[in-house]
C-alpha cells in the first residue's frame, strides 16, 4: 500500500475483504480441496450412518456467502479442472433424510457425547468450523466442541488425531493429476490421518495409475470417489481453493495457474 511491493500472493482472509475492491486485486482458482475428515476408527463417528447424517446436515452452499464468494463450495474431493471432478458424487444436503437415517440406525444425536472438531487456526477454517458447529446443532441437535490449534501444533507429528471425531483438512496438488488427490486416502498413506481403510478403494486408485485412456480412467476414479464420499463417507468436501493476490499493472508476463507456485523468470516490469 506504500508502493514497496509489485507482487503479493496469499492475502489473508481479513485483508482480502479490505483489499478486494482495489484495481490490482486478482483472484484465480487453485487445485486445492478443503474437506471435513471423520474419525472412522474411534468414538461415535465410527458409525457410517452418523457420518452420512453429519454430511447431509451441513449446507455447503452457504459457504459462498459466509466466505464472501472467495471460494467455491465443493461437490467432489477432486477440484474442477482435474479428471474425476464431479458435481454429484458427494452426499447432498438434506437434514430430514439425515434424521430419518439416524432413526433407522437407532441413533439419538441428542444423547451422544459432544463431538470434538479440530482445525488449524487459519481464519477461513476457523469461520468454517464455527459454521459446522452451528449447522449440526441446528439440523441434528448434535453438540460439537471446536479446537483451533496454531500451525506448529496442528502439523506436529506428536499430535494425536484419534482424540478428535472430525477435523478440517486441506489438500493442494503437488502435481496436476487426480492420483495426487486419491492417494491421500490409500490405506498405506501417511497422509491418511485417521486412518480409514478400504480394500476396494485401494484397488481402484492403484488401477487408475496404470490406465492411460481418459474415459476408462475417469470411470475408475468416479467409482473410487463414490466409495470415499457416498458409501463410507470417510470425508466430506467443503470448498475449493482460490488464490488471492495483488499484482501491479506494471508487472507483465504473469500467468495465473492453479498450482501454488509461479515462474518469476517470465515476469518483467513495464
Amino acid at each position: 500500500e506504500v508502493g514497496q511491493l509489485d507482487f503479493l500472493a496469499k492475502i489473508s482472509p481479513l485483508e482480502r475483504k479490505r483489499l478486494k475492491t482495489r484495481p490490482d486485486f486478482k483472484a484465480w482458482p487453485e487445485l486445492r480441496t478443503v474437506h471435513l475428515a471423520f474419525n472412522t476408527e474411534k468414538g461415535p463417528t465410527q458409525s457410517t450412518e452418523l457420518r452420512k447424517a453429519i454430511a447431509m446436515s451441513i449446507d455447503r452452499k452457504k459457504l459462498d456467502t459466509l466466505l464472501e464468494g472467495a471460494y467455491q463450495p465443493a461437490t467432489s474431493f477432486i477440484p474442477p479442472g482435474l479428471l474425476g471432478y464431479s458435481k454429484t458424487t458427494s452426499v447432498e444436503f438434506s437434514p430430514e433424510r439425515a434424521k430419518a437415517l439416524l432413526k433407522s440406525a437407532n441413533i439419538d444425536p441428542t444423547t451422544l457425547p459432544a463431538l470434538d472438531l479440530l482445525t488449524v487456526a487459519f481464519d477461513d477454517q476457523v469461520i468454517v468450523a464455527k459454521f459446522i458447529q452451528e449447522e449440526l446443532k441446528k439440523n441434528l441437535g448434535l453438540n460439537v466442541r471446536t479446537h483451533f490449534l496454531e500451525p506448529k501444533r496442528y502439523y506436529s507429528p506428536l499430535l494425536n488425531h484419534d482424540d478428535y471425531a472430525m477435523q478440517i483438512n486441506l489438500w493442494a496438488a503437488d502435481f496436476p493429476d487426480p492420483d495426487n488427490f486419491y492417494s491421500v486416502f490409500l490405506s498405506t498413506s501417511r497422509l491418511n490421518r485417521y486412518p480409514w481403510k478400504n480394500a476396494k478403494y485401494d484397488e481402484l486408485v492403484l488401477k487408475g495409475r496404470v490406465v492411460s485412456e481418459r474415459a476408462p480412467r475417469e470411470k475408475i476414479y468416479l467409482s473410487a470417489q463414490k466409495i470415499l464420499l457416498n458409501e463410507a463417507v470417510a470425508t466430506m468436501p467443503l470448498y475449493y481453493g482460490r488464490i488471492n493476490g495483488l499484482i501491479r499493472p506494471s508487472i507483465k508476463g504473469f500467468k495465473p495457474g492453479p498450482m501454488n507456485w509461479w515462474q518469476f523468470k517470465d515476469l518483467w516490469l513495464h
Side-chain angles (χ1 to χ4, degrees), residues 24 32 35 52 55 66 93 97-98 122 136 144 161 170 184 197 202 224 233-234 270:
D24 53 355
R32 173 166 58 98
H35 59 106
K52 183 171 282 191
L66 185 69
F93 176 66
R97 286 179 55 208
F122 296 149
L136 295 183
V144 174
H161 295 273
L170 64 87
V184 170
K197 294 180 176 65
D202 288 357
V233 199
H270 181 67

Side-chain angles (χ1 to χ4, degrees), residues 88-181:
T88 59
T89 52
S90 186
V91 173
E92 293 184 358
F93 176 66
S94 179
E96 294 307 314
R97 286 179 55 208
K99 292 173 185 175
L101 178 63
L102 291 184
K103 186 175 181 180
S104 68
N106 295 315
I107 297 174
D108 181 355
T110 62
T111 65
L112 293 176
L115 301 180
D116 291 294
L117 170 60
L118 172 68
T119 187
V120 64
F122 296 149
D123 293 339
D124 283 340
Q125 290 178 220
V126 169
I127 292 169
V128 172
K130 292 178 179 178
F131 167 72
I132 290 171
Q133 182 183 45
E134 293 168 2
E135 284 283 276
L136 295 183
K137 183 64 175 179
K138 178 181 67 176
N139 294 327
L140 281 185
L142 275 173
N143 291 312
V144 174
R145 286 191 297 250
T146 53
H147 303 264
F148 309 123
L149 299 186
E150 292 303 314
K152 184 176 180 180
R153 287 187 60 202
Y154 180 82
Y155 293 111
S156 168
L158 300 178
L159 179 65
N160 186 0
H161 295 273
D162 281 347
D163 290 340
Y164 305 92
M166 306 174 284
Q167 61 181 289
I168 298 175
N169 284 340
L170 64 87
W171 183 254
D174 297 311
F175 53 91
D177 187 88
D179 178 74
N180 190 228
F181 282 81

